[in-house]
Amino acid sequence: MTPEAHISEEELLLAMDGELDAPRAAQVHSHLLHCWDCRARRTRLEQSIAGYMDLHRSAQPLPIPPIEGPAAKLRASLRLETPPSTPQSWWRWTWTRPTPSFLAGALALLITPLALLLWLSANKVEAAGPLPDGRLTPGAAHTLSRQQVCGAPTEDEGRLVPAHLARLVFAEYRIHNPRPRTYEVDYLISPSLGGASELSNLWPVPYDQGVWTSRVKDALEAHLRTLVCEGQLDLPTAQHEISTNWIAAYQKHFHARKPLPAHTRFVKDSPWE
C-alpha cells in the first residue's frame, strides 16, 4: 500500500470493528502509523461514534411500571383473596372466558420483568481488562523515525495522561467512580515508542487486579524501546506488536508465559488510578 492510496471510510470502520482479515488488518494498521490524513479521518469517525454513544447513554431508561396496581387487579381476577370452596368451582373458573382486567394484569406482569432487564442492561457498569477493546482503543502513533524516538526523553512526566482525556477514557469504557488504585489510564502504544496522546490510544489498565497489570506492561515498553534503539527491532513492528496484543508480545520477548517477578514488584504512582 503506497502513502497515496488512502483507506476508505468503509475499511476504516471495518478495521475499528475488528472485522478485517488478519493480513488486511496488518496492512491498514501499518498504513495508519504513517498516514496523518487517514488517522485524522479515523479520529473523526471515532468522534462521531462517541457522540452517538453519548446521546444513547444520556437517554432516559425505560421506566419500570409499578407492580402494585396490575398485581392487585390480577389477584382480584384470580379470586385469590377468597379461595374456592370446592374443586368444581375452581374447574369452572379455569374454563371461564378471561376478563379484560385479567388480561391487563397478566400483560403487566409479563412487561415488568422485561422492563427491569432493559433498565439493568442500559445502566450496567462495565470493567476494563488487561487488553483494551479494539473498537475503542486500536492504538495511534506519530510518524517518527527511530532516531527521533530514541533521542526523546522517557521520564514519567512525558507519559502522564491529561485529566480531560482520562475522564473521556473512563466514560468510553463505562467505568463510573472507579475505586482508588484500581485502574491506570495508560497509552496502548507508549510515548517512548512514538504513541500519540489520542483517545484511540488510551484505555484503563488494571493496576493490581489479575496478573497482567500496568506495571508489567511498563516493563515491556522499556524492553521494546531498548530493542528498537539497539537496532534489533524496527519501530513499526514494535508499535504493531504492542497495539495488537501486548500480552502476547511480552510472552514472546521475555520467553515467559507469566510475568517475571521483577516486573510485578515495581509500583508506579499514577494520578488517574
Side-chain angles (χ1 to χ4, degrees):
M1 178 184 296
T2 63
E4 293 76 19
H6 293 309
I7 304 169
S8 66
E9 290 192 356
E10 180 180 1
E11 269 202 319
L12 285 173
L13 288 171
L14 289 174
M16 291 162 61
D17 286 336
E19 296 181 5
L20 292 177
D21 56 56
R24 183 55 180 164
Q27 291 179 349
V28 170
H29 179 84
S30 177
H31 180 84
L32 288 173
L33 293 177
H34 303 91
C35 181
W36 280 94
D37 183 74
C38 289
R39 286 206 305 274
R41 290 165 54 228
R42 182 187 62 184
T43 300
R44 287 194 294 271
L45 288 173
E46 292 172 341
Q47 291 171 345
S48 299
I49 295 172
Y52 170 79
M53 293 174 63
D54 289 338
L55 289 175
H56 176 71
R57 293 167 184 166
S58 63
Q60 292 295 326
L62 183 65
I64 302 176
I67 194 172
E68 292 80 6
K73 292 180 181 179
L74 181 60
R75 286 195 298 269
S77 300
L78 292 173
R79 303 178 185 273
L80 294 181
E81 292 83 354
T82 56
S85 56
T86 63
Q88 284 99 353
S89 62
W90 178 86
W91 180 262
R92 284 196 300 272
W93 178 89
T94 303
W95 293 101
T96 301
R97 187 174 185 178
T99 63
S101 61
F102 170 81
L103 293 176
L107 182 61
L109 287 182
L110 289 174
I111 292 177
T112 298
L114 177 60
L116 178 61
L117 288 175
L118 291 174
W119 184 85
L120 291 174
S121 176
N123 292 273
K124 67 179 180 179
V125 177
E126 299 180 357
L131 290 176
D133 185 331
R135 296 168 297 180
L136 300 177
T137 314
H142 298 295
T143 304
L144 300 175
S145 65
R146 180 173 67 89
Q147 291 75 15
Q148 289 174 309
V149 166
C150 296
T154 58
E155 291 82 1
D156 285 344
E157 286 77 9
R159 304 185 58 204
L160 294 181
V161 177
H164 70 282
L165 277 181
R167 287 191 291 268
L168 288 175
V169 170
F170 280 123
E172 283 294 305
Y173 277 82
R174 305 187 69 179
I175 298 175
H176 307 289
N177 300 319
R179 296 190 306 274
R181 302 185 69 83
T182 302
Y183 295 104
E184 175 188 350
V185 177
D186 200 2
Y187 298 88
L188 181 55
I189 302 175
S190 64
S192 63
L193 292 171
S197 297
E198 298 180 9
L199 196 60
S200 60
N201 193 41
L202 297 167
W203 100 101
V205 192
Y207 192 78
D208 280 322
Q209 302 174 26
V211 175
W212 300 101
T213 63
S214 59
R215 299 191 296 276
V216 178
K217 184 172 181 293
D218 291 339
L220 173 65
E221 295 167 358
H223 183 67
L224 289 180
R225 188 176 191 273
T226 298
L227 294 179
V228 168
C229 295
E230 290 180 353
Q232 301 180 45
L233 185 69
D234 62 275
L235 181 59
T237 299
Q239 293 171 340
H240 176 71
E241 287 184 352
I242 200 169
S243 62
T244 301
N245 188 322
W246 71 267
I247 295 178
Y250 181 98
Q251 294 170 331
K252 169 187 173 182
H253 289 285
F254 286 105
H255 308 287
R257 296 187 62 184
K258 294 183 178 180
L260 301 177
H263 299 158
T264 60
R265 289 194 294 265
F266 172 67
V267 178
K268 180 180 67 174
D269 295 327
S270 170
W272 304 117
E273 300 162 4

